[in-house]
Amino acid sequence: MKLTTKEIMEIIPHRQPFLLIDTIEELEPGIRAVGKKCVSYNEPYFAGHFPQEPVMPGVLQVEALAQVGAVAILSKPENKGKTAYFGAINNAKFKTKVVPGDVLTLELEIIKEKGPIGVGKAVARNQDGKVIVMAELTFAIG
């Protein structure tokens, strides 16, 4: 199942300039999602984050992964209309920088779920297939 930006905004509460995913390419509600982010020089954070050599902040890379995970978990019928909140970020590893022109593939798979708490295994790759960041993200549904 593919989702447009408009359809993503019907599931998660994020809006510009903080909506960090453009599309969902694959979706298995409650199991996994794969999203895309086309990184543009016009992103507002580039104005102040190494303006001479624009680099997407690592924390925003993790946030983009979390938003993909939120789409996955909030697509379950019983979670419709709810919000997914960060509980923890574990074992985050940043492998290479993200710059304007990069197209990120963001994948999150739910690996544990108990009540309103869950854990997702997240990985982002650039257009060359190189891993740029990986992490385990814990969330709480509220």
Side-chain angles (χ1 to χ4, degrees):
M1 172 188 300
K2 291 181 89 164
L3 301 177
T4 65
T5 302
K6 183 179 179 194
E7 291 167 320
I8 292 166
M9 292 190 303
E10 292 171 2
I11 299 169
I12 64 175
H14 303 77
R15 299 294 180 264
Q16 295 299 335
F18 211 70
L19 180 62
L20 298 174
I21 52 178
D22 297 319
T23 62
I24 294 294
E25 300 295 312
E26 299 174 34
L27 175 61
E28 296 176 64
I31 299 171
R32 69 184 281 276
V34 178
K36 290 279 187 190
K37 169 66 177 166
C38 298
V39 181
S40 163
Y41 188 76
N42 296 324
E43 306 283 348
Y45 47 81
F46 284 139
H49 195 257
F50 306 125
Q52 301 304 316
E53 181 191 357
V55 175
M56 184 179 188
V59 68
L60 295 182
Q61 296 170 37
V62 173
E63 174 65 25
L65 285 163
Q67 290 179 17
V68 168
V71 170
I73 200 66
L74 296 176
S75 292
K76 289 174 67 172
E78 61 267 32
N79 291 334
K80 185 176 176 136
K82 296 182 180 178
T83 302
Y85 299 99
F86 260 129
I89 302 168
N90 292 308
N91 302 317
K93 294 187 179 19
F94 299 91
K95 302 290 191 172
T96 190
K97 65 184 175 181
V98 175
V99 298
D102 283 344
V103 177
L104 309 183
T105 299
L106 308 150
E107 182 174 358
L108 187 129
E109 178 182 0
I110 308 297
I111 57 173
K112 288 186 214 171
E113 195 175 359
K114 185 172 183 179
I117 307 298
V119 178
K121 181 180 175 185
V123 63
R125 291 180 173 80
N126 65 17
Q127 64 278 2
D128 299 325
K130 293 182 182 174
V131 172
I132 52 173
V133 61
M134 60 179 68
E136 268 191 10
L137 307 178
T138 301
F139 60 86
I141 304 296

